[in-house]
Amino acid sequence: MPSISRKGQMMPESPIRKLVPYAEAAKKKGVDVIHLNIGQPDIETPRVALDAVKNNTLKVLEYSRTEGSDTYREKLTAYYKTRGVLLDAGEIVVTTGGSEALSFALGSIADAGDEIIIPEPFYANYNGFATANGVRVVAVASDIATNFALPPIASFESRISPRTKAILICNPGNPTGYLYSREEIQQLADLVKKHDLFLIADEVYREFTYDGREHFSILQLKGMEQHAIMVDSVSKRYSMCGARIGCLVSKNPEIIRTVIKFAQARLSPPTYALIASEAALETPQSYFKAVIEEYVERRNILMEALGRIEGVQVAKPQGAFYCMAALPVKDADAFARWLLEDFSFEGSTVMVAPAAGFYATPGLGKNEVRIAYVLEKERLRKAVRLLDIALKTYKD
Amino acid sequence: MPSISRKGQMMPESPIRKLVPYAEAAKKKGVDVIHLNIGQPDIETPRVALDAVKNNTLKVLEYSRTEGSDTYREKLTAYYKTRGVLLDAGEIVVTTGGSEALSFALGSIADAGDEIIIPEPFYANYNGFATANGVRVVAVASDIATNFALPPIASFESRISPRTKAILICNPGNPTGYLYSREEIQQLADLVKKHDLFLIADEVYREFTYDGREHFSILQLKGMEQHAIMVDSVSKRYSMCGARIGCLVSKNPEIIRTVIKFAQARLSPPTYALIASEAALETPQSYFKAVIEEYVERRNILMEALGRIEGVQVAKPQGAFYCMAALPVKDADAFARWLLEDFSFEGSTVMVAPAAGFYATPGLGKNEVRIAYVLEKERLRKAVRLLDIALKTYKD
């Protein structure tokens, strides 16, 4: 039999996917599985986006433009302007999800054997994009005790090698919920300029910041024009994960030129989704206000309820809609499986995402889980109650 | 300034894209540019697919399933069964266009430095997917004099090295329009089995075969279970290029497992497009019949008209909707640019795709162009008349 590629063998499996069969088996037994594990918001997509697709009058579903239409990119610059980011349309390449933007960014800056530095825990699919590009992830550990704040900049600098091409951050963070301050971003900026690296920021959760804090984009810093690559997406902002529309933004024309070559090979982003995404830009500010309020309430409920469980340590999220919790268990992976296989209370159980998959360093995060608060408050309360009961029952 | 990756520098630009500014300038001058250069059919998308999207009742535009829903993949097996290909749903991974399927196929079987053999001329984006994966394309020349039939199998075998991972074909061919016979496919199958390689077939034009000839899929051959990887797409079949839905099909479970890992990293194919694609499977056979008749008439018009131009040699297409023509010019690239920059007749000109970009071997195809017959008959007739006049005027 012909052989699979080395990188194909090394491609990581989603850390959640291996739990899915257990969740399905539980559901078959009639157990109500409450999902704390997924990043799919339950929030309704803005009407204006849904209607634009329903009312489309296309007769031929044609290719869209490789890098996105001028109209859509112009409108995106207007959106970014309201967020303090000044752009030209030509500094934006529209992509098939933030995923593709990340993939193009890595392909444009790194060859097989090159390295990128990422603070861990991080979004597990960064491993996939890195592996697919033959790129090695070098992790810098952040800590639940400091809410996963930026680790000391010296710990980044000490990991820079001749193969290092970029530092990659997610801001606000998935899975941490941490929102980097302007000062933290400035430290990273100074470091990448000093060592002539790229700084890639995944800002797909940029709208979701709490307690009056504001998101600060790497594109707001002067002097970073050659270094900054920003990745964005409509998925979370408008609760339209299924659209698969994102973008890559950079003021470095070489980056844009290169990314467009990768984009040409795949022809174009999906046309219907572009109709929805362009219309979504008309979403009234009241929509975001209501959504943020909802997430803040959920977060508060979650923090309070988790805080009451003995032995549970929680990082308080300032953005996004995830929270990392350290549980009083040895192996959160085994616990998550046990929840689905062996536990139920009054016909219900919960599914959590074991956090080890968000760390690159073996052994880190073994007792942590990621909880997504993308479900209604009553379900959330019930889920934490179940978790409490389960932890009291469970024996490592 | 931090540097672009080697592969980013090596990524090819679309051979057509560099002509686009000249076409735009011509249009600005008021010239009617007839596009013979593009693969975007003018044929209407089936009503049933368009209506399914218009009538959707989604409230949250959610992620779809990474590998495609069971329902859609079951329906796909029913479609393939009518075409003589027997499959299980689990042998299909739904992708974001045939492009992504090709990209996943290469990533799953080849590492940086590995090789794939492709008969040239071939679809130019194969170069892009290969470069993005660090894979070297080894070309075997086919010839306009034989309608671009499969080159002698010995010329494939002589190019097999320890780094060779696969042979890649497009059937029917873009840009050649050539339809491989069962015997040709069998020869390739025997060769890949002998040398333990994969055979990848891009069958996105599988429905477009003419003159009573039938498409023969690599999945119809027994004994190829471990070797065959088929790539397909809804783009051309239903004239819905903008959907960006395709699939990868293989009976090799290792391939499917690996491709799904690549697919997980990008989460899911676009949801609206899946609604359209699933509904498109209900397209009545009469739609295809009408479309094929239309393409055959166009092809015949094109063949006849081109045949009357002195010095023009044409390969007769038996499938797809492209035709390669050798022109009495030294450099078709310069000619194509001249057509847009310096030529017009009664306010009109034509845009053709210079064929050198479809060859990997430097110098081959320099006097050839690809003509797509995806426009209405009168426009097609006019375009060839213009080409005739232009060729009589043009001086190398």
Side-chain angles (χ1 to χ4, degrees):
Chain A
M1 181 197 138
S3 62
I4 300 296
S5 64
R6 274 192 315 281
K7 72 179 179 194
Q9 291 169 39
M10 284 167 59
M11 276 296 283
E13 257 210 286
S14 147
I16 294 159
R17 191 172 168 105
K18 55 187 172 191
L19 287 174
V20 169
Y22 301 106
E24 278 168 9
K27 285 176 194 172
K28 258 197 198 131
K29 285 191 291 180
V31 177
D32 172 29
V33 178
I34 306 185
H35 288 274
L36 296 175
N37 60 298
I38 43 169
Q40 167 61 60
D42 60 329
I43 304 283
E44 286 193 9
T45 308
R47 211 55 260 164
V48 64
L50 298 174
D51 284 348
V53 173
K54 288 180 70 75
N55 300 330
N56 87 82
T57 55
L58 295 179
K59 289 208 151 66
V60 185
L61 183 57
E62 294 190 358
Y63 290 120
S64 61
R65 186 163 158 195
T66 287
E67 64 270 55
S69 72
D70 287 338
T71 324
Y72 180 46
R73 291 185 301 157
E74 285 295 345
K75 287 183 185 174
L76 281 175
T77 66
Y79 157 76
Y80 286 115
K81 197 175 169 190
T82 65
R83 268 59 172 178
V85 176
L86 300 179
L87 295 172
D88 288 333
E91 293 162 351
I92 301 174
V93 180
V94 179
T95 56
T96 305
S99 305
E100 190 181 70
L102 270 161
S103 193
F104 287 170
L106 287 187
S108 297
I109 64 168
D111 289 299
D114 286 340
E115 297 167 5
I116 49 167
I117 300 175
I118 318 180
E120 62 184 340
F122 56 80
Y123 178 50
N125 286 325
Y126 294 163
N127 279 319
F129 302 127
T131 307
N133 279 284
V135 170
R136 202 165 79 84
V137 169
V138 175
V140 178
S142 65
D143 197 331
I144 195 168
T146 58
N147 276 338
F148 300 105
L150 193 74
I153 204 76
S155 56
F156 285 89
E157 191 157 25
S158 70
R159 280 165 180 85
I160 294 173
S161 85
R163 299 306 298 263
T164 307
K165 293 293 168 178
I167 296 172
L168 166 59
I169 58 169
C170 184
N171 186 32
N174 171 10
T176 63
Y178 187 78
L179 183 68
Y180 290 116
S181 67
R182 184 185 180 121
E183 290 67 37
E184 286 170 318
I185 300 289
Q186 184 69 59
Q187 284 179 46
L188 288 167
D190 292 342
L191 188 67
V192 300
K193 282 191 280 186
K194 180 176 168 191
H195 292 275
D196 220 12
L197 308 175
F198 291 103
L199 178 60
I200 308 173
D202 175 348
E203 299 186 358
V204 303
Y205 298 97
R206 50 176 25 253
E207 292 297 324
F208 303 99
T209 63
Y210 310 128
D211 312 327
R213 294 189 53 140
E214 272 189 24
H215 177 259
F216 186 78
S217 170
I218 60 164
L219 295 172
Q220 285 172 274
L221 282 181
K222 289 225 170 64
M224 281 287 284
E225 290 74 10
Q226 301 303 309
H227 303 268
I229 302 174
M230 195 268 274
V231 164
D232 205 351
S233 163
V234 303
S235 293
K236 314 294 171 169
R237 186 173 311 146
Y238 307 109
S239 193
M240 42 197 272
C241 298
R244 314 312 302 129
I245 295 294
C247 64
L248 180 145
V249 185
S250 177
K251 291 182 170 291
N252 180 328
E254 275 297 303
I255 286 291
I256 294 297
R257 222 176 348 254
T258 308
V259 167
I260 288 176
K261 291 195 290 181
F262 282 92
Q264 278 173 26
R266 60 72 164 130
L267 304 170
S268 71
T271 298
Y272 280 129
L274 284 168
I275 295 172
S277 300
E278 193 169 328
L281 286 167
E282 308 297 321
T283 304
Q285 201 52 39
S286 56
Y287 172 90
F288 293 110
K289 200 163 163 284
V291 170
I292 301 286
E293 272 168 22
E294 176 70 24
Y295 279 132
V296 168
E297 283 178 41
R298 289 175 182 183
R299 182 202 58 173
N300 293 345
I301 287 168
L302 190 64
M303 290 298 102
E304 206 203 348
L306 286 172
R308 277 195 302 241
I309 305 179
E310 211 185 293
V312 171
Q313 184 186 7
V314 196
K316 189 174 182 183
Q318 302 147 327
F321 35 66
Y322 304 101
C323 125
M324 290 281 282
L327 305 181
V329 300
K330 282 202 198 85
D331 182 347
D333 207 40
F335 175 65
R337 188 170 147 181
W338 174 86
L339 279 172
L340 297 168
E341 251 192 324
D342 298 312
F343 174 81
S344 80
F345 180 78
E346 291 176 359
S348 300
T349 191
V350 286
M351 183 166 171
V352 292
F358 300 111
Y359 287 86
T361 307
L364 285 188
K366 250 188 110 71
N367 67 329
E368 296 173 7
V369 296
R370 185 193 71 176
I371 293 173
Y373 42 103
V374 292
L375 64 174
E376 50 188 18
K377 285 166 262 186
E378 268 323 298
R379 293 281 280 171
L380 203 54
R381 280 201 187 92
K382 182 175 174 183
V384 183
R385 267 200 309 274
L386 287 166
L387 207 56
D388 188 7
I389 296 163
L391 283 168
K392 289 194 169 90
T393 320
Y394 183 69
K395 285 179 196 25
D396 273 309
Chain B
M1 183 196 137
S3 61
I4 300 297
S5 63
R6 277 192 313 280
K7 73 180 178 193
Q9 292 169 37
M10 286 167 59
M11 277 295 286
E13 259 209 286
S14 147
I16 295 160
R17 190 172 169 105
K18 56 186 172 195
L19 287 175
V20 170
Y22 302 106
E24 279 167 11
K27 285 175 194 171
K28 258 195 198 133
K29 286 191 290 180
V31 176
D32 172 29
V33 179
I34 306 184
H35 288 274
L36 295 175
N37 59 298
I38 42 169
Q40 168 61 59
D42 61 328
I43 303 283
E44 286 194 11
T45 308
R47 209 59 255 167
V48 64
L50 298 174
D51 284 348
V53 172
K54 288 179 70 73
N55 300 330
N56 88 82
T57 55
L58 294 179
K59 289 207 151 63
V60 186
L61 184 57
E62 295 191 359
Y63 288 121
S64 62
R65 185 162 160 196
T66 287
E67 65 269 55
S69 71
D70 288 339
T71 325
Y72 180 45
R73 291 184 300 158
E74 284 296 345
K75 287 184 185 172
L76 281 174
T77 66
Y79 157 76
Y80 286 116
K81 197 174 169 190
T82 65
R83 269 59 173 178
V85 176
L86 300 179
L87 294 172
D88 289 332
E91 292 161 353
I92 302 173
V93 179
V94 179
T95 56
T96 306
S99 305
E100 190 181 69
L102 271 161
S103 194
F104 287 169
L106 287 187
S108 297
I109 64 168
D111 290 298
D114 286 340
E115 296 168 4
I116 50 168
I117 300 175
I118 318 181
E120 62 183 342
F122 55 82
Y123 178 51
N125 285 326
Y126 295 163
N127 279 319
F129 302 127
T131 307
N133 280 284
V135 170
R136 202 165 79 84
V137 170
V138 176
V140 178
S142 66
D143 197 331
I144 195 167
T146 58
N147 276 338
F148 301 104
L150 192 75
I153 204 74
S155 56
F156 284 89
E157 190 157 26
S158 70
R159 280 167 179 83
I160 294 174
S161 86
R163 298 306 298 263
T164 307
K165 294 292 168 178
I167 296 171
L168 165 59
I169 57 168
C170 183
N171 186 32
N174 172 10
T176 64
Y178 188 78
L179 182 69
Y180 291 117
S181 68
R182 183 186 181 121
E183 291 65 36
E184 286 171 316
I185 299 289
Q186 184 68 59
Q187 284 179 46
L188 288 168
D190 292 342
L191 188 66
V192 299
K193 282 192 280 186
K194 180 175 168 193
H195 292 276
D196 219 11
L197 307 175
F198 290 102
L199 178 59
I200 308 174
D202 175 348
E203 299 186 359
V204 303
Y205 298 96
R206 52 177 21 255
E207 293 296 323
F208 303 100
T209 63
Y210 311 128
D211 312 325
R213 295 189 52 140
E214 273 189 24
H215 177 260
F216 185 76
S217 170
I218 60 164
L219 295 172
Q220 285 172 276
L221 281 181
K222 288 225 171 64
M224 279 289 283
E225 289 74 10
Q226 300 304 309
H227 303 267
I229 302 174
M230 194 269 273
V231 164
D232 204 352
S233 163
V234 304
S235 293
K236 314 294 174 172
R237 187 174 312 149
Y238 307 109
S239 193
M240 42 197 273
C241 297
R244 311 314 301 130
I245 295 293
C247 63
L248 179 146
V249 185
S250 177
K251 291 183 170 289
N252 180 329
E254 275 298 304
I255 287 292
I256 294 296
R257 221 175 353 251
T258 308
V259 167
I260 288 177
K261 291 194 291 180
F262 282 92
Q264 279 174 25
R266 61 71 167 132
L267 303 170
S268 71
T271 298
Y272 281 129
L274 285 167
I275 294 172
S277 300
E278 192 169 329
L281 286 166
E282 309 296 321
T283 305
Q285 201 51 38
S286 56
Y287 172 92
F288 293 109
K289 200 163 165 282
V291 170
I292 301 286
E293 273 170 19
E294 177 69 25
Y295 279 132
V296 168
E297 283 179 40
R298 290 175 181 183
R299 181 201 59 173
N300 293 346
I301 287 168
L302 189 66
M303 290 298 101
E304 206 203 348
L306 286 171
R308 275 195 304 241
I309 306 178
E310 212 184 294
V312 172
Q313 184 186 7
V314 196
K316 187 173 184 184
Q318 302 147 328
F321 35 67
Y322 304 101
C323 127
M324 289 281 282
L327 306 182
V329 299
K330 283 202 196 85
D331 182 346
D333 207 39
F335 175 66
R337 190 171 145 179
W338 175 86
L339 279 172
L340 297 168
E341 252 192 323
D342 300 311
F343 174 81
S344 79
F345 180 78
E346 291 175 358
S348 301
T349 191
V350 285
M351 182 167 172
V352 293
F358 301 111
Y359 288 85
T361 307
L364 285 189
K366 250 186 109 70
N367 67 330
E368 297 173 8
V369 295
R370 185 193 71 175
I371 292 172
Y373 42 102
V374 291
L375 63 177
E376 51 188 15
K377 285 166 262 187
E378 267 323 298
R379 292 280 282 171
L380 203 55
R381 278 200 188 92
K382 183 174 173 185
V384 182
R385 266 199 309 274
L386 287 166
L387 207 56
D388 188 7
I389 297 163
L391 282 167
K392 289 195 168 92
T393 321
Y394 183 69
K395 283 178 196 25
D396 274 309

